[in-house]
């Protein structure tokens, strides 16, 4: 269950970030981008997140996951293409190997929505 | 009253792990040690390859192993018989090593040995074809193993490890004659996703092909030229 470890890493990262903020921010929503060409399954990640944040500072926070498709760029063809994961990664036109990945490798915390008790 | 804010983080989900890996690498660099991370599915032959490699390079290089295993010390004990220090890390339920575990291993290594005298540390990752590829531990190069008994399609089904590998060892080639396996197809499948990795065919059992692998290690280990 690597999603469990990913979640641990996610919580650590948000915790680190939070410790650098002033005041007492409360995390409302965490926005992630998870590429299709990673070893992370969004549903499992969501599940692991809910299980692990129980009783922590993130208990009331939502996890919003956006998935990005695997998109590659073929230099000989100067063309984007969508490899078929599990079947075919080379360029379907000229068979050049998968080189540049334009999207699909993201495992990113994009942004955090948080609230701050307003001081009067 | 609460006010809501939006903060852009644009931060890698594995930021904490990555940071730890960079620290481990800096530590290794300060000792003049090259670190190779060996990854494969369970039973592809990581430990047996290491046994042969340690035996063959023992007179040239000072080596150590960080051995990741979910529960047992079996592999660590096998490797200790090769006469090198082995730091065993039981990962528990975690199916891969992460940089924090390896940092602990390096600390233990530094306490027990003179790290400056070493040239090369092998990390044997937990047998798993999926996650270790996403968790850098501070290695200078990633070595993936795929045994001929696993089938030609594995690089297509588990592309990330093969994409990330700097070196791919196709192992147990002594068994190829008994199987219906086409090694050229394995290589072609790897080449679809990784045009740069150095690929070697090896058998830890017969020793076939090991010379190329040992030369590759020598190239990665600056100390070996002096
Ligand atoms: N025929 C043959 N068998 C091999 C070779 N290398 C390893 N084996 C056998 O394959 C089995 C697994 O080898 P290990 O070296 O333990 O594999 P591993 O990758 O370390 O396994 P885990 O650490 O459990 O993931 C053992 O029974 C080895 O004897 C080889 O080159 N040829
Ligand atoms: Mg082993
Ligand atoms: Zn093309």
């Amino acid at each position: 269950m690597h999603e469990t470890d990913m979640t641990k890493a996610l919580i650590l990262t948000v915790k680190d970030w939070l410790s650098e903020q002033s005041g007492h921010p409360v995390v409302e929503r965490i926005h992630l981008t998870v590429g299709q060409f990673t070893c992370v399954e969004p549903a499992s990640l969501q599940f692991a997140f809910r299980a692990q944040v129980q009783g922590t500072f993130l208990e009331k926070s939502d996890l919003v996951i956006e998935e990005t498709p695997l998109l590659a760029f073929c230099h000989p063809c100067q063309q984007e293409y969508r490899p078929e994961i599990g079947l075919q990664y080379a360029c379907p036109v000229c068979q050049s190997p998968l080189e540049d990945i334009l999207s699909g490798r993201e495992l990113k915390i994009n942004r955090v929505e948080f609230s701050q008790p307003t001081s009067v | 009253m609460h006010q809501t804010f939006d903060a852009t983080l644009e931060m890698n989900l594995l930021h904490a792990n990555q940071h730890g890996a960079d620290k481990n690498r800096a530590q290794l660099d300060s000792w003049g040690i090259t670190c190779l991370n060996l990854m494969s599915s369970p039973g592809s032959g990581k430990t047996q390859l290491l046994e042969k490699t340690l035996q063959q390079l023992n007179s040239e290089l000072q080596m150590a192993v960080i051995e990741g295993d979910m529960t047992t010390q079996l592999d660590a004990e096998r490797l200790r018989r090769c006469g090198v220090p082995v730091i065993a890390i039981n990962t528990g339920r975690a199916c891969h090593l992460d940089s924090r575990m390896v940092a602990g291993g390096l600390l233990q290594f530094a306490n027990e040995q003179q790290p400056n005298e070493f040239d090369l540390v092998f990390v044997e990752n937990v047998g798993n074809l999926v996650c270790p590829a996403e968790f850098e531990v501070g290695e200078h190069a990633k070595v993936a193993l795929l045994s001929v008994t696993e089938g030609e399609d594995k690089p297509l089904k588990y592309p990330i490890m093969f994409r990330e590998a700097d070196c791919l060892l196709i192992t147990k080639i002594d068994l190829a004659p008994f199987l219906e396996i086409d090694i050229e197809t394995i290589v072609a499948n790897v080449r679809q996703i990784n045009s740069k990795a150095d690929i070697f065919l090896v058998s830890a059992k017969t020793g076939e092909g090991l010379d190329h692998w040992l030369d590759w290690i020598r190239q990665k280990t600056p100390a070996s030229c002096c």
Side-chain angles (χ1 to χ4, degrees):
Chain A
M1 263 302 274
H2 46 273
E3 280 81 2
T4 310
D5 300 290
M6 295 275 174
T7 308
K8 262 183 220 151
L10 162 67
I11 294 172
L12 272 180
T13 304
V14 174
K15 200 172 176 182
D16 277 358
W17 172 81
L18 211 58
S19 71
E20 288 160 12
Q21 311 306 309
S22 56
H24 300 280
V26 177
V27 176
E28 305 277 352
R29 214 165 281 120
I30 304 170
H31 293 265
L32 298 187
T33 304
V34 171
Q36 268 178 353
F37 199 57
T38 64
C39 71
V40 175
E41 179 55 41
S44 306
L45 193 63
Q46 192 65 260
F47 182 80
F49 181 79
R50 285 273 68 92
Q52 281 186 47
V53 296
Q54 275 180 42
T56 75
F57 68 107
L58 291 174
E59 173 145 31
K60 299 229 162 61
S61 317
D62 282 329
L63 187 65
V64 182
I65 303 175
E66 185 205 355
E67 255 195 294
T68 50
L70 175 57
L71 259 188
F73 187 78
C74 176
H75 284 277
C77 296
Q78 285 292 302
Q79 190 102 14
E80 281 180 22
Y81 69 98
R82 273 194 186 209
E84 295 173 73
I85 296 175
L87 295 172
Q88 166 84 22
Y89 300 90
C91 170
V93 178
C94 74
Q95 306 304 319
S96 293
L98 173 62
E99 294 287 353
D100 289 359
I101 293 181
L102 301 177
S103 91
R105 284 294 283 147
E106 301 83 358
L107 272 179
K108 209 168 60 180
I109 308 171
N110 275 334
R111 53 196 186 91
V112 171
E113 286 178 62
F114 62 98
S115 60
Q116 199 64 278
T118 44
S119 47
V120 196
Chain B
M1 276 298 289
H2 280 70
Q3 209 178 333
T4 312
F5 300 90
D6 213 328
T8 306
L9 259 71
E10 291 286 340
M11 207 181 246
N12 193 314
L13 181 49
L14 297 178
H15 175 79
N17 186 69
Q18 195 62 48
H19 183 66
D22 291 342
K23 271 170 70 176
N24 290 348
R25 199 175 296 107
Q27 174 76 269
L28 287 157
D29 286 341
S30 78
W31 293 328
I33 292 176
T34 300
C35 178
L36 303 177
N37 184 2
L38 269 62
M39 301 179 284
S40 78
S41 44
S44 300
K46 298 180 291 299
T47 307
Q48 188 152 333
L49 177 85
L50 275 178
E51 289 174 313
K52 282 289 158 72
T53 305
L54 295 169
Q55 286 159 12
Q56 302 233 10
L57 292 176
N58 226 339
S59 55
E60 297 169 48
L61 296 170
Q62 281 289 341
M63 296 171 287
V65 178
I66 293 180
E67 173 63 48
D69 220 324
M70 288 180 80
T71 45
T72 71
Q73 288 262 352
L74 295 174
D75 284 0
E77 277 156 22
R78 273 166 70 187
L79 294 171
R80 278 194 194 108
R81 281 182 226 126
C82 301
V84 303
V86 178
I87 308 288
I89 300 178
N90 280 148
T91 59
R93 281 183 304 276
C95 49
H96 56 84
L97 286 168
D98 64 30
S99 62
R100 188 185 46 83
M101 296 178 206
V102 170
L106 289 176
L107 191 67
Q108 190 187 336
F109 171 65
N111 285 335
E112 294 173 2
Q113 308 291 332
Q114 302 292 324
N116 283 314
E117 290 171 8
F118 282 77
D119 308 307
L120 184 59
V121 168
F122 292 102
V123 172
E124 179 179 342
N125 222 308
V126 181
N128 175 347
L129 211 44
V130 182
C131 342
E134 298 279 22
F135 286 82
E136 244 181 63
V137 298
E139 68 272 33
H140 294 91
K142 293 183 170 66
V143 179
L145 283 73
L146 178 67
S147 63
V148 293
T149 55
E150 291 170 70
E152 291 107 343
D153 57 349
K154 293 305 167 291
L156 302 179
K157 283 189 181 170
Y158 302 93
I160 292 161
M161 181 164 301
F162 297 100
R163 165 99 181 160
E164 296 286 317
D166 300 292
C167 175
L168 172 75
L169 299 171
I170 298 176
T171 61
K172 308 192 191 180
I173 52 163
D174 57 287
L175 296 178
F178 308 104
L179 304 164
E180 289 199 21
I181 184 126
D182 180 17
I183 291 179
E184 275 176 33
T185 308
I186 302 181
V187 173
N189 285 343
V190 172
R191 282 292 175 232
Q192 274 200 45
I193 36 188
N194 187 332
S195 61
K196 296 185 188 74
D198 296 305
I199 301 181
F200 305 117
L201 312 185
V202 298
S203 165
K205 187 175 177 188
T206 65
E208 191 181 347
L210 285 184
D211 285 352
H212 300 290
W213 155 242
L214 297 177
D215 278 341
W216 185 88
I217 295 175
R218 289 185 185 100
Q219 263 181 27
K220 295 280 166 194
T221 315
S224 65
C225 59
C226 333

